[in-house]
Structures are given as structure tokens and as C-alpha cells.
Amino acid sequence: MLKIAIPNKGSLSEDAVQLIREAGYNCRRYSRELIVMDNVNQVEFVFLRPRDIAVYVSKGILDMGVTGRDLALDSRSDVAELLPLGFGRSSFAYAVPAGSDLTPDGFEGLRIATSYPQLVIEDLQRREIDAEIIRLDGAVEISIRLGVADAIADVVQTGRTLVAAGLEVVGEPLLHSEAVLVARTRDIERQEAVNTFLERIRGIVVAREYVMVEYDIPKSMLEMACVVTPGIESPTVSPLSKEGWVAVKSMSRLRDVNQIMDSLTKIGAKGIIVTDIRTCRI
């Protein structure tokens, strides 16, 4: 039976469960169960702290797991990233008191508070800087005000928490993170059940990036319309009963959909419809 780890709480957990359920698996918890069995698909879902998931996977106790890229790298576990999942996006960066002239290259001899010590150690080694690492499990942004640290390295999403603490990001992010599906590096030849799970999840992730655009267009404008909606290989074109008109169907990027509709309208397209795609294989 396939064993897959899922974060046990927070937004990572909620989004992971939703994604996996959309892929056709039963991983819903009714209370605080640590294990949920999907007997139909022969998968055992284990709910763990996100920080621990890469460790369990690297030791072969679990086949795969959903965790943050930052957590997987900081754990220094022997895991490989199989698929970015498109949620839980953040950056990992240094922050200092607002208005300070401190930069990462000037951290020599300073104290840096973080919940991700390995990521910081590796970055400081690249910079050839000797600084003291203060490891904290949470509320890192308050450490400067309390006199524990001179700078911090932390996960940044909106940045509002840093601003509220009187801090500002300095330098380029050390890492851009998001939720990822990981497996043990040495398990490069994966069993069929693993590949099936991976392809189902990939189908949902890809589908979330696309929509189906359908419209009617005069044949005389078809070439121009195909430039606007080229599709994956090419758009599907069907004749209409109306003389000189065709119907077009094409997968298009969700992020571009409003510009696409504007462009199609300008060249005379009618009946433009945009629909979501539940899953796909490209």
C-alpha cells in the first residue's frame, strides 16, 4: 500500500487535502486522525508536521509527501522534488530594522534569528560571513525588538507581519518556496502506484493554470484568432451552419484570459465562453 504524508494543520494542510481529493483520493479527516485509509486506491495518508515530512520520506518510511520547498531543503533530507503544487507560495529573505543600512553582506559578527538555520548557514558560507545563528521555532520577527537578534531570516508572504514589527526585507530572497511533492532521491524507479498518483496530481495542478476558451469567428479572421488562442498543439476548429463562420475551442492560460477575450472581441469573435478545466493530461 502506498504511504503518503500530508501536513497536519494550517493552510498547507487544507490546500493539500483539497488538491488530493480533486485527484480522486479519499484523504478527508473527520477529526484529528493521524492516518486516513483510502482502500479503493490502496493509499494510506499520514498527517505529520510539515517540517518532519521530508525526514520520514528520506528514510523510506513513507513513499511521498507534501511539504514546503523551504522545509525540505532546510531539513537536508535526501529527497527529490517531484512536482511543484502551485500553492503556499512565499519567499525566504533577510529582514532588518526599517531605515537601517544593514545588508546581508554586512552581517559579519551579528546575530541572526531564524527557524531555518541550515538555509541561513549555507547562505552565509557562500558569502564567507561569520555570524551567530539564533534558532527560534516561531515569532522570529519579534526577536530584534526583544534584543535577541540584530537581523532575521524568515518566510515572507505578504510582508505585513514584518512591517508591523518595524522591519524591512533586505537583499534578494534566499529562496522562493511553495508546496511541493517530494520522494526519496534514490527511488528514481518508482512503482506504478506512485506514478499514477503523480500523474493524477499533475493533471489537477496543470488544469488550474488553464481554461477552455470557445468562440465563433468568421473564417476570414481564423488565422488571426489562432494567434490569440494557439492552444497546446493547435485549437480545435469546427464548421458552423452559418456561412463563412467556424467555431473554435482552445486551452489558454488562466492568467491571460481577460486579454484574450479583449483581443478576440476586437477581431470580431462572437459567443466567447470561458470554462474551467477540472483535470487534464498534456
mmCIF file of all heavy atoms in Angstrom, residues 171-195:
data_model
loop_
_atom_site.group_PDB
_atom_site.id
_atom_site.type_symbol
_atom_site.label_atom_id
_atom_site.label_comp_id
_atom_site.label_asym_id
_atom_site.label_seq_id
_atom_site.Cartn_x
_atom_site.Cartn_y
_atom_site.Cartn_z
ATOM 1 N N GLY A 171 18.167 42.773 0.589
ATOM 2 C CA GLY A 171 18.797 41.809 -0.300
ATOM 3 C C GLY A 171 17.786 40.989 -1.073
ATOM 4 O O GLY A 171 16.573 41.089 -0.878
ATOM 5 N N GLU A 172 18.293 40.159 -1.968
ATOM 6 C CA GLU A 172 17.445 39.269 -2.746
ATOM 7 C C GLU A 172 17.002 38.086 -1.884
ATOM 8 O O GLU A 172 17.736 37.670 -0.980
ATOM 9 C CB GLU A 172 18.206 38.744 -3.963
ATOM 10 C CG GLU A 172 18.525 39.809 -4.999
ATOM 11 C CD GLU A 172 17.271 40.406 -5.602
ATOM 12 O OE1 GLU A 172 16.341 39.630 -5.912
ATOM 13 O OE2 GLU A 172 17.218 41.639 -5.755
ATOM 14 N N PRO A 173 15.813 37.540 -2.124
ATOM 15 C CA PRO A 173 15.380 36.358 -1.367
ATOM 16 C C PRO A 173 16.385 35.212 -1.495
ATOM 17 O O PRO A 173 16.979 35.003 -2.557
ATOM 18 C CB PRO A 173 14.048 35.993 -2.027
ATOM 19 C CG PRO A 173 13.557 37.269 -2.623
ATOM 20 C CD PRO A 173 14.790 37.997 -3.081
ATOM 21 N N LEU A 174 16.581 34.492 -0.409
ATOM 22 C CA LEU A 174 17.457 33.331 -0.442
ATOM 23 C C LEU A 174 16.817 32.195 -1.208
ATOM 24 O O LEU A 174 17.498 31.346 -1.789
ATOM 25 C CB LEU A 174 17.765 32.853 0.987
ATOM 26 C CG LEU A 174 18.796 33.623 1.803
ATOM 27 C CD1 LEU A 174 18.330 35.025 2.130
ATOM 28 C CD2 LEU A 174 19.113 32.854 3.097
ATOM 29 N N LEU A 175 15.471 32.207 -1.217
ATOM 30 C CA LEU A 175 14.745 31.071 -1.782
ATOM 31 C C LEU A 175 13.314 31.484 -2.087
ATOM 32 O O LEU A 175 12.703 32.231 -1.317
ATOM 33 C CB LEU A 175 14.742 29.912 -0.775
ATOM 34 C CG LEU A 175 13.926 28.668 -1.108
ATOM 35 C CD1 LEU A 175 14.583 27.898 -2.253
ATOM 36 C CD2 LEU A 175 13.786 27.772 0.112
ATOM 37 N N HIS A 176 12.778 31.011 -3.198
ATOM 38 C CA HIS A 176 11.354 31.125 -3.496
ATOM 39 C C HIS A 176 10.732 29.758 -3.244
ATOM 40 O O HIS A 176 11.161 28.755 -3.825
ATOM 41 C CB HIS A 176 11.126 31.571 -4.934
ATOM 42 C CG HIS A 176 11.563 32.984 -5.194
ATOM 43 N ND1 HIS A 176 10.845 34.076 -4.732
ATOM 44 C CD2 HIS A 176 12.649 33.472 -5.843
ATOM 45 C CE1 HIS A 176 11.464 35.187 -5.091
ATOM 46 N NE2 HIS A 176 12.565 34.851 -5.765
ATOM 47 N N SER A 177 9.737 29.723 -2.375
ATOM 48 C CA SER A 177 9.192 28.448 -1.933
ATOM 49 C C SER A 177 7.720 28.300 -2.310
ATOM 50 O O SER A 177 7.043 29.286 -2.621
ATOM 51 C CB SER A 177 9.357 28.308 -0.417
ATOM 52 O OG SER A 177 8.914 27.036 0.027
ATOM 53 N N GLU A 178 7.249 27.085 -2.285
ATOM 54 C CA GLU A 178 5.845 26.740 -2.431
ATOM 55 C C GLU A 178 5.686 25.288 -1.990
ATOM 56 O O GLU A 178 6.671 24.605 -1.693
ATOM 57 C CB GLU A 178 5.373 26.900 -3.874
ATOM 58 C CG GLU A 178 6.021 25.954 -4.876
ATOM 59 C CD GLU A 178 5.516 26.184 -6.289
ATOM 60 O OE1 GLU A 178 4.308 25.961 -6.533
ATOM 61 O OE2 GLU A 178 6.313 26.612 -7.150
ATOM 62 N N ALA A 179 4.457 24.816 -1.916
ATOM 63 C CA ALA A 179 4.230 23.412 -1.583
ATOM 64 C C ALA A 179 4.749 22.535 -2.722
ATOM 65 O O ALA A 179 4.558 22.852 -3.902
ATOM 66 C CB ALA A 179 2.752 23.150 -1.352
ATOM 67 N N VAL A 180 5.399 21.440 -2.360
ATOM 68 C CA VAL A 180 5.953 20.531 -3.362
ATOM 69 C C VAL A 180 5.675 19.082 -2.958
ATOM 70 O O VAL A 180 5.490 18.780 -1.780
ATOM 71 C CB VAL A 180 7.480 20.727 -3.534
ATOM 72 C CG1 VAL A 180 7.785 22.097 -4.112
ATOM 73 C CG2 VAL A 180 8.213 20.530 -2.216
ATOM 74 N N LEU A 181 5.655 18.225 -3.947
ATOM 75 C CA LEU A 181 5.548 16.785 -3.713
ATOM 76 C C LEU A 181 6.951 16.210 -3.785
ATOM 77 O O LEU A 181 7.650 16.408 -4.784
ATOM 78 C CB LEU A 181 4.646 16.147 -4.764
ATOM 79 C CG LEU A 181 4.363 14.650 -4.615
ATOM 80 C CD1 LEU A 181 3.566 14.371 -3.348
ATOM 81 C CD2 LEU A 181 3.603 14.128 -5.837
ATOM 82 N N VAL A 182 7.380 15.527 -2.719
ATOM 83 C CA VAL A 182 8.746 15.005 -2.665
ATOM 84 C C VAL A 182 8.750 13.495 -2.511
ATOM 85 O O VAL A 182 7.791 12.898 -2.013
ATOM 86 C CB VAL A 182 9.553 15.638 -1.504
ATOM 87 C CG1 VAL A 182 9.679 17.134 -1.686
ATOM 88 C CG2 VAL A 182 8.921 15.299 -0.155
ATOM 89 N N ALA A 183 9.837 12.879 -2.953
ATOM 90 C CA ALA A 183 10.072 11.449 -2.788
ATOM 91 C C ALA A 183 11.548 11.253 -2.495
ATOM 92 O O ALA A 183 12.366 12.160 -2.711
ATOM 93 C CB ALA A 183 9.664 10.665 -4.026
ATOM 94 N N ARG A 184 11.911 10.079 -2.023
ATOM 95 C CA ARG A 184 13.316 9.792 -1.722
ATOM 96 C C ARG A 184 14.132 9.798 -3.008
ATOM 97 O O ARG A 184 13.730 9.216 -4.018
ATOM 98 C CB ARG A 184 13.439 8.442 -1.007
ATOM 99 C CG ARG A 184 14.828 8.177 -0.456
ATOM 100 C CD ARG A 184 14.830 7.083 0.578
ATOM 101 N NE ARG A 184 14.319 5.821 0.051
ATOM 102 C CZ ARG A 184 14.533 4.640 0.633
ATOM 103 N NH1 ARG A 184 15.230 4.583 1.746
ATOM 104 N NH2 ARG A 184 14.022 3.558 0.122
ATOM 105 N N THR A 185 15.267 10.458 -2.994
ATOM 106 C CA THR A 185 16.083 10.630 -4.192
ATOM 107 C C THR A 185 16.435 9.299 -4.850
ATOM 108 O O THR A 185 16.383 9.165 -6.075
ATOM 109 C CB THR A 185 17.379 11.399 -3.853
ATOM 110 O OG1 THR A 185 17.033 12.639 -3.248
ATOM 111 C CG2 THR A 185 18.205 11.634 -5.099
ATOM 112 N N ARG A 186 16.751 8.301 -4.060
ATOM 113 C CA ARG A 186 17.197 7.035 -4.629
ATOM 114 C C ARG A 186 16.055 6.245 -5.282
ATOM 115 O O ARG A 186 16.292 5.311 -6.038
ATOM 116 C CB ARG A 186 17.865 6.176 -3.556
ATOM 117 C CG ARG A 186 16.912 5.603 -2.523
ATOM 118 C CD ARG A 186 17.651 4.978 -1.368
ATOM 119 N NE ARG A 186 18.297 5.990 -0.553
ATOM 120 C CZ ARG A 186 18.924 5.739 0.587
ATOM 121 N NH1 ARG A 186 18.993 4.493 1.033
ATOM 122 N NH2 ARG A 186 19.479 6.704 1.283
ATOM 123 N N ASP A 187 14.797 6.629 -4.990
ATOM 124 C CA ASP A 187 13.661 5.915 -5.557
ATOM 125 C C ASP A 187 13.297 6.488 -6.918
ATOM 126 O O ASP A 187 12.157 6.849 -7.182
ATOM 127 C CB ASP A 187 12.451 5.995 -4.614
ATOM 128 C CG ASP A 187 12.689 5.264 -3.312
ATOM 129 O OD1 ASP A 187 13.558 4.371 -3.304
ATOM 130 O OD2 ASP A 187 12.021 5.582 -2.316
ATOM 131 N N ILE A 188 14.290 6.565 -7.803
ATOM 132 C CA ILE A 188 14.074 7.151 -9.107
ATOM 133 C C ILE A 188 13.198 6.253 -9.973
ATOM 134 O O ILE A 188 12.438 6.699 -10.815
ATOM 135 C CB ILE A 188 15.426 7.460 -9.805
ATOM 136 C CG1 ILE A 188 15.214 8.427 -10.968
ATOM 137 C CG2 ILE A 188 16.117 6.196 -10.227
ATOM 138 C CD1 ILE A 188 14.790 9.806 -10.561
ATOM 139 N N GLU A 189 13.333 4.934 -9.775
ATOM 140 C CA GLU A 189 12.458 3.989 -10.469
ATOM 141 C C GLU A 189 11.251 3.751 -9.582
ATOM 142 O O GLU A 189 11.254 2.919 -8.693
ATOM 143 C CB GLU A 189 13.212 2.672 -10.745
ATOM 144 C CG GLU A 189 14.381 2.807 -11.706
ATOM 145 C CD GLU A 189 13.923 3.215 -13.102
ATOM 146 O OE1 GLU A 189 12.782 2.870 -13.479
ATOM 147 O OE2 GLU A 189 14.707 3.868 -13.806
ATOM 148 N N ARG A 190 10.193 4.487 -9.844
ATOM 149 C CA ARG A 190 9.051 4.474 -8.943
ATOM 150 C C ARG A 190 8.057 3.391 -9.321
ATOM 151 O O ARG A 190 7.908 3.040 -10.489
ATOM 152 C CB ARG A 190 8.378 5.849 -8.940
ATOM 153 C CG ARG A 190 9.280 6.973 -8.441
ATOM 154 C CD ARG A 190 8.523 8.266 -8.340
ATOM 155 N NE ARG A 190 8.137 8.769 -9.636
ATOM 156 C CZ ARG A 190 8.912 9.530 -10.398
ATOM 157 N NH1 ARG A 190 10.108 9.878 -9.978
ATOM 158 N NH2 ARG A 190 8.509 9.957 -11.574
ATOM 159 N N GLN A 191 7.355 2.884 -8.333
ATOM 160 C CA GLN A 191 6.333 1.889 -8.577
ATOM 161 C C GLN A 191 5.155 2.512 -9.301
ATOM 162 O O GLN A 191 4.955 3.721 -9.302
ATOM 163 C CB GLN A 191 5.886 1.276 -7.254
ATOM 164 C CG GLN A 191 5.425 2.294 -6.218
ATOM 165 C CD GLN A 191 5.111 1.649 -4.893
ATOM 166 O OE1 GLN A 191 4.189 0.865 -4.816
ATOM 167 N NE2 GLN A 191 5.875 1.982 -3.865
ATOM 168 N N GLU A 192 4.343 1.646 -9.910
ATOM 169 C CA GLU A 192 3.230 2.119 -10.730
ATOM 170 C C GLU A 192 2.263 2.985 -9.938
ATOM 171 O O GLU A 192 1.762 3.995 -10.444
ATOM 172 C CB GLU A 192 2.499 0.924 -11.336
ATOM 173 C CG GLU A 192 1.362 1.328 -12.265
ATOM 174 C CD GLU A 192 0.671 0.125 -12.877
ATOM 175 O OE1 GLU A 192 1.168 -1.003 -12.696
ATOM 176 O OE2 GLU A 192 -0.368 0.327 -13.532
ATOM 177 N N ALA A 193 1.990 2.613 -8.687
ATOM 178 C CA ALA A 193 1.045 3.383 -7.869
ATOM 179 C C ALA A 193 1.546 4.804 -7.633
ATOM 180 O O ALA A 193 0.758 5.752 -7.594
ATOM 181 C CB ALA A 193 0.810 2.674 -6.535
ATOM 182 N N VAL A 194 2.863 4.958 -7.489
ATOM 183 C CA VAL A 194 3.447 6.290 -7.304
ATOM 184 C C VAL A 194 3.274 7.119 -8.565
ATOM 185 O O VAL A 194 2.878 8.292 -8.519
ATOM 186 C CB VAL A 194 4.938 6.180 -6.927
ATOM 187 C CG1 VAL A 194 5.597 7.548 -6.949
ATOM 188 C CG2 VAL A 194 5.098 5.533 -5.567
ATOM 189 N N ASN A 195 3.546 6.512 -9.713
ATOM 190 C CA ASN A 195 3.403 7.228 -10.979
ATOM 191 C C ASN A 195 1.950 7.620 -11.237
ATOM 192 O O ASN A 195 1.676 8.705 -11.757
ATOM 193 C CB ASN A 195 3.924 6.364 -12.129
ATOM 194 C CG ASN A 195 5.434 6.265 -12.134
ATOM 195 O OD1 ASN A 195 6.116 7.213 -11.763
ATOM 196 N ND2 ASN A 195 5.965 5.115 -12.519
#
